């Protein structure tokens, strides 16, 4: 079977299992959804009418089949709290999260790659060794601490950037930096380690003996091999970023996926929380699928190993 077809089948199978587990989890939770929507003052006739409308009188397999059909058509049900389509709520929040995520990903790749390569090439210099240690410390710093530091510097001190709400691209700079500084530190560490391992390989000495200078060796040989192990890390970082940073979005009061998750949990809005769970799982699976495809393109040998 073709490598890409096999990967796509694995992706769809896993996604189907995720929807099944998610649906069963929320269906088996105690409580009556109709009563949660109508409130404690509703009479039995109103509850039964709403149960019929929501299909709660149907068998569990039939309810799952109907929900799955609706999910693939973009219908994830109606939110208890907002009385709106779950899909429309997620789509509205996704606009902010997607913009924030793309900017954060650009910062992460640019900063992480630059630092990783620089640390590896200057590993014997004391200044860069000290900066490498500081990078390790930055990895362990919680993202909300980074956010508060950035707010103190750029909002309170310099008064250059806003720190509350969403009012155009300028509002995304600080939160995207708060996300990307920690993520880029992780990526830089992996790239640095991979670069150091690759620079010790025999093919590097062979390339230099053929007359290639250090820049040519790094660009044409070392960098490609060193970046390959870091792709998996970047895939996990991307999934985490696009899942919506719950802490950062709430620190900066951004109306994104992270803030929607908090609201759905606090209000016990199970349809919305169920839809968000499926979205997060689908995003993680999509990123893993993209990593596998990217692996096979960069290194075709991986197609024959799987």
């Amino acid at each position: 079977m073709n490598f890409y077809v096999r990967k796509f089948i694995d992706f769809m199978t896993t996604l189907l299992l995720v929807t099944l587990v998610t649906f069963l989890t929320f269906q088996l939770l105690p409580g009556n959804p109709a009563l949660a929507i109508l409130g404690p003052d509703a009479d039995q006739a109103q509850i039964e009418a709403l149960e019929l409308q929501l299909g709660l009188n149907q068998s569990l397999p039939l309810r799952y089949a109907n929900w799955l059909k609706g999910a693939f058509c973009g219908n994830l049900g109606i939110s208890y709290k907002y009385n709106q389509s779950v899909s429309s709520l997620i789509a509205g929040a996704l606009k902010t999260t997607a913009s924030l995520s793309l900017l954060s990903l650009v910062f992460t790749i640019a900063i992480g790659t630059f630092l990783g390569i620089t640390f590896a090439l200057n590993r014997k210099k004391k200044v860069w060794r000290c900066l490498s240690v500081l990078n390790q410390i930055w990895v362990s710093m919680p993202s909300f601490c980074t956010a508060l530091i950035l707010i103190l510097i750029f909002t309170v001190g310099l008064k250059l950037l806003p720190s509350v709400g969403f009012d155009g691209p300028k509002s995304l700079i600080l939160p995207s930096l708060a996300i990307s500084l920690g993520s880029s530190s992780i990526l830089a560490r992996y790239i640095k380690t991979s670069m150091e391992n690759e620079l010790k390989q025999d093919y590097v000495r062979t390339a230099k003996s053929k007359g290639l200078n250090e820049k040519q060796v790094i660009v044409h040989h070392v960098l490609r091999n060193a970046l390959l192990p870091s792709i998996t890390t970047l895939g996990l970082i991307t999934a985490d970023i696009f899942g919506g940073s719950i802490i950062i979005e709430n620190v900066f009061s951004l109306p994104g996926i992270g803030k929607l998750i908090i609201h759905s949990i606090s209000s016990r809005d199970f349809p919305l929380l169920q839809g968000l769970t499926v979205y997060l799982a689908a995003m993680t699976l999509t990123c893993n699928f993209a990593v596998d495809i990217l692996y096979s393109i960069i290194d075709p040998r991986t197609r024959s190993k799987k």
Side-chain angles (χ1 to χ4, degrees):
M1 187 184 294
N2 183 276
F3 173 83
Y4 299 107
V5 173
R6 188 170 68 250
K7 283 296 176 183
F8 181 74
I9 292 174
D10 291 343
F11 167 77
M12 292 304 298
T13 302
T14 307
L15 182 60
L16 187 63
L17 289 173
V18 166
T19 62
L20 177 60
V21 172
T22 302
F23 180 82
L24 291 176
T25 300
F26 284 95
Q27 289 298 312
L28 297 176
L29 287 174
N32 188 333
L35 184 61
I37 295 173
L38 296 173
D41 297 329
D43 57 39
Q44 189 62 31
Q46 290 176 316
I47 294 174
E48 290 177 357
L50 187 55
E51 285 178 343
L52 183 64
Q53 180 183 339
L54 296 175
L56 297 176
N57 59 330
Q58 299 172 343
S59 64
L60 194 60
L62 184 57
R63 294 210 304 269
Y64 172 68
N66 291 334
W67 178 80
L68 185 63
K69 180 181 177 182
F72 275 103
C73 295
N75 180 14
L76 292 168
I78 302 298
S79 165
Y80 295 165
K81 176 180 173 65
Y82 300 98
N83 196 27
Q84 296 180 32
S85 166
V86 170
S87 301
S88 64
L89 288 170
I90 293 176
L94 191 57
K95 294 178 182 178
T96 303
T97 295
S99 301
L100 175 63
S101 300
L102 286 172
L103 188 58
S104 301
L105 189 60
V106 170
F107 283 156
T108 297
I109 294 174
I111 298 172
T113 303
F114 170 76
L115 290 178
I117 295 173
T118 305
F119 288 153
L121 296 181
N122 298 277
R123 60 192 184 279
K124 295 182 180 179
K125 297 181 180 179
K126 290 184 178 181
V127 175
W128 286 103
R129 286 172 65 184
C130 292
L131 290 176
S132 180
V133 173
L134 290 175
N135 182 69
Q136 301 302 319
I137 296 174
W138 200 274
V139 171
S140 62
M141 183 177 293
S143 58
F144 71 88
C145 288
T146 304
L148 294 176
I149 292 172
L150 292 174
I151 290 172
L152 285 173
I153 295 174
F154 293 100
T155 302
V156 178
L158 300 177
K159 302 185 186 305
L160 293 175
L161 297 169
S163 61
V164 178
F166 178 72
D167 187 25
K170 197 174 182 180
S171 303
L172 298 176
I173 295 177
L174 284 185
S176 62
L177 280 174
I179 294 172
S180 61
L181 287 177
S183 301
S184 61
S185 298
I186 296 172
L187 183 62
R189 182 176 61 180
Y190 277 91
I191 292 177
K192 171 181 174 291
T193 303
S194 297
M195 286 280 292
E196 289 176 344
N197 291 335
E198 292 298 324
L199 288 170
K200 298 175 184 176
Q201 300 300 315
D202 291 337
Y203 73 85
V204 174
R205 289 190 290 270
T206 302
K208 288 181 178 179
S209 67
K210 290 181 178 180
L212 297 178
N213 59 43
E214 187 177 32
K215 182 179 179 181
Q216 290 174 319
V217 173
I218 291 172
V219 172
H220 297 291
H221 299 282
V222 175
L223 192 57
R224 181 175 179 177
N225 292 328
L227 290 179
L228 190 60
S230 303
I231 291 176
T232 301
T233 304
L234 183 60
L236 295 174
I237 290 173
T238 303
D240 184 54
I241 289 175
F242 274 86
S245 177
I246 297 175
I247 296 175
I248 295 302
E249 287 185 7
N250 279 274
V251 169
F252 291 93
S253 297
L254 295 175
I257 294 293
K259 196 169 185 179
L260 199 60
I261 291 173
I262 293 295
H263 287 175
S264 65
I265 294 173
S266 61
S267 61
R268 296 177 63 85
D269 192 343
F270 292 142
L272 180 56
L273 189 55
Q274 182 173 275
L276 288 167
T277 302
V278 172
Y279 160 76
L280 294 174
M283 185 58 63
T284 302
L285 291 172
T286 301
C287 290
N288 289 337
F289 176 72
V291 166
D292 286 337
I293 299 302
L294 193 57
Y295 251 116
S296 67
I297 294 173
I298 296 177
D299 188 358
R301 294 174 298 177
T302 58
R303 299 177 201 170
S304 59
K305 294 178 181 178
K306 297 180 180 181

